[in-house]
Amino acid sequence: MGDNIFLLTNGSDETSVHQKQLTESPLWKTIPAVQQGRVYTLDSKFNFDDPITLYMLLDEIVQIMAGAGKADKK
């Protein structure tokens, strides 16, 4: 398991339902990063594999890890 988890979401009703099912599941609660409060939610605008988006995502993650992130910590 990773030390941190980054969830990509678009805020739609359907996504919110699935995200809630995931984050309320017993399995989810056993993940060390979840137990240690290291889950971050990012906008799904980063859910692309092109070089520009990956660069933007890397910048966002660096900001999050430095404590100045724009993502919501859940």
Side-chain angles (χ1 to χ4, degrees):
M1 292 287 164
D3 292 334
N4 298 286
I5 296 175
F6 298 90
L7 289 176
L8 299 176
T9 185
N10 63 13
S12 72
D13 291 341
E14 182 180 357
T15 300
S16 295
V17 167
H18 291 294
Q19 185 175 337
K20 185 175 180 178
Q21 289 173 342
L22 171 68
T23 59
E24 291 180 357
S25 72
L27 180 60
W28 176 260
K29 295 173 184 177
T30 67
I31 301 171
V34 173
Q35 294 172 343
Q36 296 168 8
R38 294 189 305 219
V39 178
Y40 304 89
T41 304
L42 298 163
D43 189 287
S44 65
K45 67 183 177 187
F46 296 114
N47 198 20
F48 299 97
D49 291 330
D50 64 277
I52 294 170
T53 304
L54 293 175
Y55 179 78
M56 290 171 51
L57 179 57
L58 179 60
D59 186 48
E60 187 84 4
I61 290 173
V62 168
Q63 290 179 21
I64 291 168
M65 302 317 299
K70 294 179 250 177
D72 294 328
K73 188 173 180 181
K74 302 278 180 175

